[in-house]
Amino acid sequence: MVTGSVKIYVACTSVLYLKFLTATLIQGSKKFATGGRPPEDTKLTAAKRKQTFGMDKTSDTETLDAAQRWGNIVMNDLESIPFALLIFGAGIMAGADPNVHYRAMIAFTAARCLHTHAYATGMQPMRSLCHGVGVMSTLVGLGNAVSARHPVSFMMDPLCPLEGVETRLVVASQAPLPETLPRAQSRTEHNTSMTALVALNAAVKTYSTCSLILFVKFFITVSIQGGKSFAAGARPPEDNGLLGQDGLPAQTYGLLEDDKPISEQLRAARAEDFRWKRVVQNDLETIPLGLLVFIGSVIVGGQEETNCVLMGVFTAARIAHTFAYVTQKQPHRALLWTLGQLCVLASGLNGFISFLI
């Protein structure tokens, strides 16, 4: 059986993922209106003006305000949701008081949803209050996790039959696998149990492998992006001494004096810097929450083969998405982004169904 806290965790993670996905979709549409999308997006039907990463400013203050507002909503979610879910997940693994934990998770989820509504509609002090409730809920979860005295291990029961085993986890309080099996149990039953245990671990191994691959991909991406920032003069001022400045602009966070015209070379460098920053931003908006949904589905007992395939496709889609973004391939980039999101949604649904039936 799976504990109630795990079910609540998976449900809250799924709700927050859907909320965040909706916010990013709205944010993306707002960028079209300000010309803040990559140049290759100009040919998409949603583009009503030339897209230049926002380098060609618009005088429509209402449009700029809407784009900035939804950009801030997404950033606020990224600052709050992943860390909170990691804390809540750690509390479950540590054996935190489930009555306190699931209430904190529900309060956090409700607060984040209401915070987005308040931010989008300009409601203050409701926005600040919702943010405060979310922070307090996270702190409660953290305190509950730290005070836990009975760590929980997720494992297979080696005495149960193979049928149904691969989609169910047994939660035990520091309960080790028995070293010996009853004499009445045949060698066939023993082998069947061990086969079931290995089969279950396939999803965990797939998750671990995909996480490592995505981390390496992200590390390479941020390393390249850091190099592009030098050419655009977008690094902090103290970075002027890190590399030889021959041919490079002064590092000023990319801030330019209004009375100085921008050269075509610097404009191209800034566009390249914007592109790689968008690649990093897109990864941050997609990968952490995606991995949280995947691990929730695995823990709650989602159909194993399905989860393995979905995690593999998601990983491949994210790598291909980065390549498409860098090489300005559209609609390939949009299709790959959509494919990745569908994998996350399918995995979340897979886990959700598993504890309903």
Side-chain angles (χ1 to χ4, degrees):
M1 295 295 293
V2 178
T3 64
S5 291
V6 175
K7 293 181 179 180
I8 295 296
Y9 178 81
V10 172
C12 289
T13 301
S14 300
V15 170
L16 289 169
Y17 170 75
L18 290 173
K19 185 211 78 68
F20 183 74
L21 177 61
T22 302
T24 55
L25 289 172
I26 296 175
Q27 177 214 22
S29 66
K30 299 298 181 183
K31 283 186 177 180
F32 273 114
T34 62
R37 305 276 297 191
E40 63 269 21
D41 289 5
T42 302
K43 60 185 178 182
L44 297 178
T45 56
K48 305 302 181 183
R49 55 169 293 174
K50 185 179 180 181
Q51 303 298 309
T52 62
F53 289 115
M55 296 176 68
D56 294 335
K57 302 296 183 181
T58 177
S59 58
D60 188 347
T61 56
E62 183 177 350
T63 300
L64 287 171
D65 177 77
Q68 184 64 45
R69 182 174 295 276
W70 280 98
N72 289 351
I73 289 173
V74 170
M75 286 305 301
N76 197 281
D77 278 349
L78 289 175
E79 294 167 1
S80 304
I81 295 176
F83 280 110
L85 290 178
L86 287 172
I87 288 172
F88 289 133
I92 293 174
M93 298 296 293
D97 184 341
N99 292 321
V100 175
H101 220 59
Y102 84 76
R103 286 181 172 87
M105 288 188 285
I106 292 175
F108 176 81
T109 302
R112 291 309 307 174
C113 292
L114 290 173
H115 177 272
T116 296
H117 172 72
Y119 212 139
T121 55
M123 299 176 65
Q124 190 67 288
M126 179 179 175
R127 192 187 85 214
S128 295
L129 291 174
C130 290
H131 177 77
V133 171
V135 172
M136 289 303 300
S137 299
T138 305
L139 291 175
V140 169
L142 177 61
N144 195 31
V146 172
S147 63
R149 297 182 179 180
H150 302 288
V152 174
S153 60
F154 295 85
M155 66 179 187
M156 292 301 304
D157 182 356
L159 302 181
C160 64
L162 178 62
E163 182 179 0
V165 165
E166 60 186 18
T167 59
R168 285 292 181 269
L169 288 170
V170 175
V171 181
S173 178
Q174 291 185 322
L177 291 173
E179 296 180 359
T180 60
L181 297 172
R183 294 182 179 179
Q185 185 177 21
S186 66
R187 179 175 296 275
T188 300
E189 290 174 323
H190 172 74
N191 291 337
T192 298
S193 299
M194 292 301 102
T195 301
L197 181 59
V198 173
L200 175 74
N201 284 338
V204 179
K205 291 176 181 178
T206 301
Y207 177 83
S208 178
T209 302
C210 291
S211 298
L212 176 60
I213 292 172
L214 289 170
F215 169 77
V216 172
K217 184 210 83 70
F218 183 74
F219 179 77
I220 294 173
T221 301
V222 294
S223 298
I224 296 174
Q225 182 263 317
K228 299 296 181 181
S229 291
F230 274 108
R235 304 280 297 190
E238 62 270 21
D239 288 2
N240 280 306
L242 291 180
L243 297 176
Q245 292 299 301
D246 295 339
L248 292 177
Q251 304 303 313
T252 61
Y253 292 111
L255 301 175
L256 299 174
E257 297 181 15
D258 294 335
D259 58 344
K260 289 186 177 181
I262 181 173
S263 67
E264 287 300 320
Q265 181 181 2
L266 182 56
R267 183 182 179 87
R270 294 190 69 189
E272 189 72 4
D273 180 47
F274 280 138
R275 180 174 296 279
W276 280 95
K277 284 180 177 176
R278 292 292 177 82
V279 173
V280 171
Q281 177 75 12
N282 197 281
D283 277 350
L284 289 173
E285 294 172 358
T286 306
I287 294 176
L289 279 177
L291 290 177
L292 285 168
V293 172
F294 283 131
I295 193 60
S297 182
V298 170
I299 290 176
V300 84
Q303 210 282 331
E304 186 177 38
E305 288 81 4
T306 301
N307 272 334
C308 288
V309 171
L310 291 172
M311 287 186 283
V313 174
F314 174 80
T315 302
R318 290 309 305 172
I319 294 173
H321 176 272
T322 296
F323 176 78
Y325 214 138
V326 172
T327 56
Q328 306 180 34
K329 301 294 185 182
Q330 189 67 288
H332 307 77
R333 192 187 85 225
L335 293 174
L336 289 166
W337 181 87
T338 303
L339 177 61
Q341 300 296 343
L342 289 175
C343 288
V344 177
L345 288 170
S347 181
L349 185 61
N350 183 29
F352 190 72
I353 291 175
S354 70
F355 64 72
L356 291 180
I357 59 177

